[in-house]
Amino acid sequence: MSEQGYTPSIIISRGEQVRVWDRATLAAEGIASIELMQRAVGAVVQRFVLDYPPASHKRVDVLIGPGDNGGDGAGVAGALAMLGYSVRAYRYGAGAGSADLEQMWTRLGAGGNVACFRDDAYATAQGVHVVVDALFGVGTSRPLEGDYAKTVAAMNGGTVPVVSIDVPSGQSIDGRHPDWPNVHATHTYTFGAIKYSALLSDTGPAWGTPVVLDIGLIDPGRVPELRGADDPTILTPTELGNQLSPRRRFTHKGTWGHVLVMAGSRGHAGAALLAGTGAYRAGAGLVTFYVPSDIESILQVGLPEAMTIADPGAGHLCELLDIAPYDSVVIGPGLGKHLDTAAVLRDLFEVIGETPLVIDADALNLLSLDRRLSAKLPPNAVLTPHPGEFARLVGRELAGGARLAALQKYVAGLGEPNAVVVLKDQYTVLAKAERRAKELDGVQAINFYYGNPGMGTGGMGDVLSGVIGAQLARGLSTWDAARLGVYLHARAGDSAARVLGERALLAGDLAKYLGHP
């Protein structure tokens, strides 16, 4: 999450990026580094008071490391004491620290309202309500050892909430060292932009709830060296541009495209229904279901706005219909893996041509069972696997940075510049192939700001496939349709959760909230 209205699209994966951004801000605004640190302190304290009000979290211990992260901690300790918290500050590291840390530490001691200790062996004391972790920031380049490792273990072994400043201490923000000991925070208040390790399945949990704070760094667009060619970006409304504009007047159902949903099997009619509902709710002009004959009536009743065509097979699809009338095709939700259905998928690949195609659920499983079929992938395909389906596609289970590296390699290996893979997870990652130096390479965008844990229920992916199919049917490119679809789907999940709560959220509820703010 981030502060209200603050949604930068950049991701920080290297400590040098932070230093470059800080220096650019100092130069552009003509300020000293201590002033930027004071801004960071103010942002942390403002958020801290919201999450841990003094009435219920009076006693705070702040652990201060030897660098600028420690300087942030010293400033936070003093500011919290002025607001009425009972604060103890523990300074780590022998000898002098960074210049800004020393200045902040001197001010803290002079204030006289914080108990200050030079202690390298902190153990959470009884009665403490919150621990603030300001030991190490983005510059961590080796695993913690000695008293630092013991302190981290003490924090992780306790029951007291921990707030990390910028990064959970001990974690490498490039995500390459998930085995390094690091703080497991309750909240992490990070500066300027989210850090890459917060987005990965093996290092992200240590962040607890990550909150991106605006500390007045200059627009990253003014610092071109911040973003490398291979760096992923964050999905934001700004990145989507005019794709979110209102519908034009003097348009009709034909203007907004006709989606064909090839889905469902005996016992899995609901998946087809959710995909079709997602397509209609996301703006499709027309939706047609192509389903096994024995579930057709369920679709007619469940979504009377849609048309239905019954496959002659009972229980599963066994023939391919004429797809010429349709502007996009969604195949897979609840489809099953019957041999007849696998043949339908192969036939579809042969005849679909330039018509855009969303491949989801069992269609992905069929694709993973026939590797030769991947070589025949249609040019305008969007694949929407969850981690288990992706593992079957690439042939092995992966997590964290290794999974995203495999995703980049997989999408480049598809050989289709327009192909897009939407890897659904806590933070959904979108990847496409981009031609560089006569070769295809994968580039990525990540959905960080939107969505919630309540969306971890059956059928959510079926709705998403329909949402993306609707964007393709109205003429968006595969990349734009996938990005807009993921954004609309996640925002709908957040809108539904605000009304129903995360625990009660169902996929059908989410579909009803598509289009809500």
Side-chain angles (χ1 to χ4, degrees):
M1 65 172 65
S2 67
E3 293 179 301
Q4 189 73 25
Y6 183 66
T7 54
S9 63
I10 192 170
I11 298 172
I12 299 296
S13 60
R14 302 176 298 279
E16 181 57 27
Q17 288 174 288
V18 175
R19 290 184 282 274
V20 167
W21 203 359
D22 285 354
R23 287 196 297 267
T25 300
L26 300 181
E29 300 188 6
I31 61 174
S33 58
I34 191 71
E35 295 177 65
L36 189 58
M37 183 174 285
Q38 288 167 334
R39 290 184 192 176
V41 168
V44 168
V45 171
Q46 185 175 22
R47 180 69 198 206
F48 186 95
V49 170
L50 293 175
D51 290 331
Y52 302 96
S56 55
H57 296 83
K58 181 79 171 178
R59 187 174 174 187
V60 180
D61 284 352
V62 182
L63 309 190
I64 296 170
D68 285 342
N69 193 253
D72 297 329
V76 167
L80 290 178
M82 292 180 64
L83 292 174
Y85 290 86
S86 175
V87 182
R88 299 185 303 184
Y90 292 82
R91 169 82 181 268
Y92 279 67
S98 71
D100 289 344
L101 163 61
E102 293 301 337
Q103 190 170 340
M104 284 292 196
W105 182 254
T106 299
R107 291 181 187 178
L108 185 63
N113 52 359
V114 175
C116 297
F117 303 91
R118 297 295 295 249
D119 193 337
D120 287 358
Y122 174 81
T124 305
Q126 289 290 103
V128 173
H129 298 126
V130 189
V131 175
V132 176
D133 157 37
L135 292 173
F136 293 98
V138 298
T140 300
S141 58
R142 63 181 185 274
L144 299 182
E145 299 174 338
D147 289 327
Y148 290 115
K150 292 177 183 176
T151 298
V152 167
M155 280 191 278
N156 293 343
T159 59
V160 177
V162 176
V163 174
S164 288
I165 295 180
D166 209 15
V167 180
S169 287
Q171 189 170 104
S172 172
I173 62 170
D174 61 12
R176 294 178 182 174
H177 304 284
D179 56 329
W180 284 4
N182 60 253
V183 170
H184 294 170
T186 311
H187 287 85
T188 301
Y189 302 154
T190 195
F191 303 138
I194 195 62
K195 310 308 184 282
Y196 185 60
S197 60
L199 305 173
L200 304 179
S201 61
D202 50 1
T203 52
W207 286 64
T209 299
V211 182
V212 180
L213 300 179
D214 181 4
I215 62 170
L217 295 167
I218 64 172
D219 186 333
R222 295 171 59 186
V223 193
E225 58 267 42
L226 266 182
R227 181 175 291 166
D230 296 325
D231 289 344
T233 60
I234 292 288
L235 192 63
T236 69
T238 303
E239 298 279 303
L240 297 172
N242 61 7
Q243 297 163 21
L244 293 168
S245 58
R247 284 197 176 200
R248 303 184 306 276
R249 297 176 64 198
F250 301 105
T251 58
H252 52 80
K253 60 188 178 184
T255 307
W256 300 103
H258 193 167
V259 180
L260 174 66
V261 178
M262 301 176 63
S265 58
R266 187 174 295 144
H268 299 282
L273 181 60
L274 289 168
T277 303
Y280 254 142
R281 293 284 186 184
L286 292 166
V287 174
T288 293
F289 289 110
Y290 181 57
V291 296
S293 58
D294 55 353
I295 67 169
E296 182 187 16
S297 61
I298 299 174
L299 280 303
Q300 290 174 327
V301 174
L303 190 63
E305 297 86 350
M307 296 168 281
T308 63
I309 300 174
D311 182 280
H316 62 271
L317 295 184
C318 62
E319 293 184 5
L320 180 64
L321 79 169
D322 179 13
I323 63 166
Y326 307 103
D327 299 301
S328 72
V329 178
V330 175
I331 186 167
L335 193 67
K337 294 177 282 189
H338 196 280
L339 290 176
D340 293 341
T341 307
V344 171
L345 183 63
R346 288 193 296 270
D347 292 343
L348 177 64
F349 278 22
E350 292 288 343
V351 302
I352 195 167
E354 298 290 324
T355 301
L357 173 66
V358 180
I359 306 172
D360 186 40
D362 279 332
L364 293 167
N365 291 326
L366 290 171
L367 191 63
S368 68
L369 293 171
D370 185 356
R371 299 306 169 95
R372 293 170 300 177
L373 203 53
S374 295
K376 300 178 181 179
L377 191 74
N380 294 308
V382 178
L383 288 68
T384 57
H386 56 57
E389 290 161 347
F390 182 70
R392 289 188 280 276
L393 287 171
V394 299
R396 62 193 190 281
E397 293 278 352
L398 295 164
R403 183 190 291 160
L404 297 199
L407 172 62
Q408 188 157 324
K409 182 178 179 180
Y410 177 79
V411 73
L414 292 174
E416 291 291 347
N418 293 331
V420 174
V421 179
V422 178
L423 178 52
K424 299 173 292 192
D425 205 349
Q426 169 65 35
Y427 302 119
T428 290
V429 182
L430 301 91
K432 66 172 181 174
E434 190 169 273
R435 193 170 296 283
R436 299 181 192 156
K438 300 182 180 180
E439 293 184 358
L440 290 176
D441 195 8
V443 296
Q444 300 174 353
I446 300 177
N447 176 44
F448 167 66
Y449 296 116
Y450 311 106
N452 62 81
M455 296 170 68
T457 61
M460 289 290 176
D462 302 324
V463 176
L464 177 61
S465 68
V467 174
I468 295 173
Q471 311 318 311
L472 292 169
R474 73 181 179 99
L476 294 186
S477 70
T478 50
W479 183 240
D480 287 343
R483 291 192 301 162
L484 182 58
V486 167
Y487 171 79
L488 293 174
H489 184 261
R491 290 298 298 265
D494 289 341
S495 296
R498 281 194 292 270
V499 176
L500 303 171
E502 292 180 359
R503 227 175 260 283
L505 185 59
L506 297 177
D509 300 323
L510 182 146
K512 295 173 185 176
Y513 281 85
L514 285 162
H516 282 239

